[in-house]
Amino acid sequence: MKSYPLGDRARLVERILFVEGVTRSGKFLVSNVLSGISNVEHFQYHSIFEHVPFLESFGKISRETATSLLQVQFDNTAYDLMVGRGLNFRLSDKSSVVQSPRFADYLQRCLSSDDTEVMAKLQSDPPYLPYVMHEVLPFIDLFFSFLPELRVVRLDRHPLDLCFSWLQRGWGGRWGTDPKGFVIPFKKGKGLVPWFALDWAEDYADVSAEERVVRSIATIAQRSEDRWTRLAASEKEKVFQLRYEDLVVSPDAEVDRLAKFLQQPVLPSMEMIKKREKLPGKEPSSGRTDRREALAKGLSKKTLNVLDEMSQAYEAKARQGHPHFS
């Protein structure tokens, strides 16, 4: 069958906001905090936005197909949110629209059959449309290529806490084997592996869950750092660096920084959000010695050194007072 080039359709939304970070870094906390800033819609999560980038990067689909698919899906999901379609009302979910301080507005949208007001809003005073994204910084150039107004809140968290949380949640073995994992694995080595284990796929089936976790997070961190260093200065300015620990301990300062980044005022509802999210909270460093010991039981000496080096580098940059990627 003859192949034809894809066309560049008229676009509906441009003001996309990513809340990006490694799995278990606290993105849903940040996303709920963002709802206390003016002109920021309730956040969404759609796994298609995470699958397409690595499929394109590893040659499974073309750049042309990837950008066209992503662009139309951003428009589609944003429009659905704005007209009150497909909202998450599950009370126990952190992503539930019930969590939003503008819950009544979303209910009203469900009742309206006219999108005239929505279209006028998107054209005259476009809101920020947040999307939770996992591990897409290594592929962020794909998004910048067709979303010139994209802004990214990049969340970082102490590597030891991330690794321990992954281990507790079973992410040392769920990739490709748990039907509720909702990830697309690759077939390499002795079985199925996530994209960030392709370089060491031959070892994946034989090492412990602890080894898989630490090596996975180390790989993601390195690929993220590599991509960050290759971004243009104008692109780096579109990325807001945030540490989970800073948000927990000093929420007011971090909220002010976020509001300045988005050039929007903080809403009175922020106080209610902080109370609900128990901010400020305890300094997250307590218990790290025990967490390291729990991880070390399943780690080789080499991989334990990798974990310690990641932790030391993270702590050193935290003491210097600037983000992990800088």
Side-chain angles (χ1 to χ4, degrees):
M1 183 177 294
K2 187 175 181 179
S3 177
Y4 298 93
L6 297 175
D8 188 10
R9 56 180 289 279
R11 302 186 182 189
L12 180 65
V13 296
E14 297 278 357
R15 214 172 187 185
I16 302 296
L17 175 65
F18 286 177
V19 181
E20 197 281 335
V22 176
T23 299
R24 307 298 296 167
S25 58
K27 295 178 294 301
F28 286 90
L29 169 63
V30 175
S31 298
N32 277 310
V33 167
L34 283 168
S35 66
I37 295 177
S38 180
N39 215 25
V40 177
E41 290 288 331
H42 188 66
F43 66 98
Q44 303 186 64
Y45 173 72
H46 299 281
S47 61
I48 186 68
F49 298 124
E50 299 169 354
H51 297 156
V52 171
F54 74 76
L55 292 175
E56 186 271 336
S57 180
F58 289 98
K60 306 306 291 185
I61 58 176
S62 69
R63 172 63 66 102
E64 177 193 40
T65 301
T67 55
S68 294
L69 178 60
L70 289 169
Q71 187 258 314
V72 76
Q73 285 300 305
F74 278 124
D75 280 357
N76 196 339
T77 56
Y79 178 80
D80 284 351
L81 175 73
M82 295 298 291
V83 300
R85 182 182 294 140
L87 301 177
N88 178 10
F89 289 97
R90 192 167 189 259
L91 294 178
S92 61
D93 285 357
K94 293 286 287 183
S95 59
S96 173
V97 72
V98 178
Q99 301 275 356
S100 172
R102 297 169 56 197
F103 176 50
D105 292 341
Y106 289 104
L107 283 180
Q108 186 60 42
R109 292 179 189 182
C110 294
L111 298 175
S112 176
S113 60
D114 184 3
D115 69 356
T116 303
E117 186 176 341
V118 165
M119 294 302 294
K121 169 73 173 175
L122 289 173
Q123 293 169 8
S124 63
D125 185 24
Y128 282 103
L129 294 150
Y131 291 83
V132 168
M133 307 287 275
H134 299 76
E135 295 105 31
V136 299
L137 188 61
F139 318 107
I140 201 67
D141 58 309
L142 169 64
F143 295 101
F144 279 137
S145 72
F146 71 97
L147 289 173
E149 295 188 38
L150 173 66
R151 296 296 183 269
V152 181
V153 175
R154 165 66 190 183
L155 183 63
D156 210 357
R157 189 174 183 178
H158 196 290
L160 201 156
D161 296 340
L162 281 176
C163 290
F164 186 75
S165 184
W166 272 42
L167 187 65
Q168 284 191 311
R169 296 288 291 182
W171 288 119
R174 292 176 63 189
W175 304 106
T177 62
D178 180 1
K180 293 193 298 181
F182 306 119
V183 295
I184 300 176
F186 286 86
K187 187 175 181 180
K188 188 179 179 184
K190 297 179 181 179
L192 303 176
V193 299
W195 67 261
F196 42 79
L198 284 171
D199 289 343
W200 44 283
E202 302 301 329
D203 301 333
Y204 191 84
D206 298 325
V207 298
S208 67
E210 292 86 351
E211 280 276 324
R212 292 176 182 173
V213 162
V214 175
R215 292 175 71 173
S216 293
I217 289 177
T219 301
I220 295 167
Q222 187 58 58
R223 286 183 175 268
S224 298
E225 190 77 47
D226 290 346
R227 173 55 60 190
W228 175 258
T229 59
R230 297 200 301 273
L231 290 180
S234 60
E235 293 171 330
K236 289 181 179 181
E237 290 175 356
K238 299 175 182 179
V239 181
F240 178 92
Q241 308 288 356
L242 175 64
R243 289 193 189 89
Y244 172 81
E245 296 85 1
D246 291 340
L247 180 62
V248 170
V249 175
S250 305
D252 290 340
E254 298 308 303
V255 165
D256 287 345
R257 289 180 61 229
L258 280 166
K260 184 178 180 180
F261 173 69
L262 298 176
Q263 298 182 321
Q264 298 289 333
V266 178
L267 298 172
S269 58
M270 184 63 75
E271 292 305 312
M272 177 272 291
I273 293 170
K274 289 191 300 180
K275 183 177 180 180
R276 185 189 67 209
E277 300 296 335
K278 300 180 180 179
L279 297 174
K282 295 181 180 179
E283 215 291 323
S285 62
S286 60
R288 281 195 187 130
T289 299
D290 292 339
R291 291 194 283 275
R292 181 186 180 278
E293 289 180 359
L295 287 162
K297 293 176 182 178
L299 297 178
S300 65
K301 183 177 180 180
K302 180 180 178 181
T303 305
L304 180 58
N305 286 338
V306 169
L307 176 60
D308 288 340
E309 288 171 2
M310 286 196 296
S311 299
Q312 291 162 11
Y314 184 87
E315 292 166 4
K317 289 192 175 183
R319 288 193 296 270
Q320 293 170 16
H322 58 74
H324 183 56
F325 299 101
S326 59

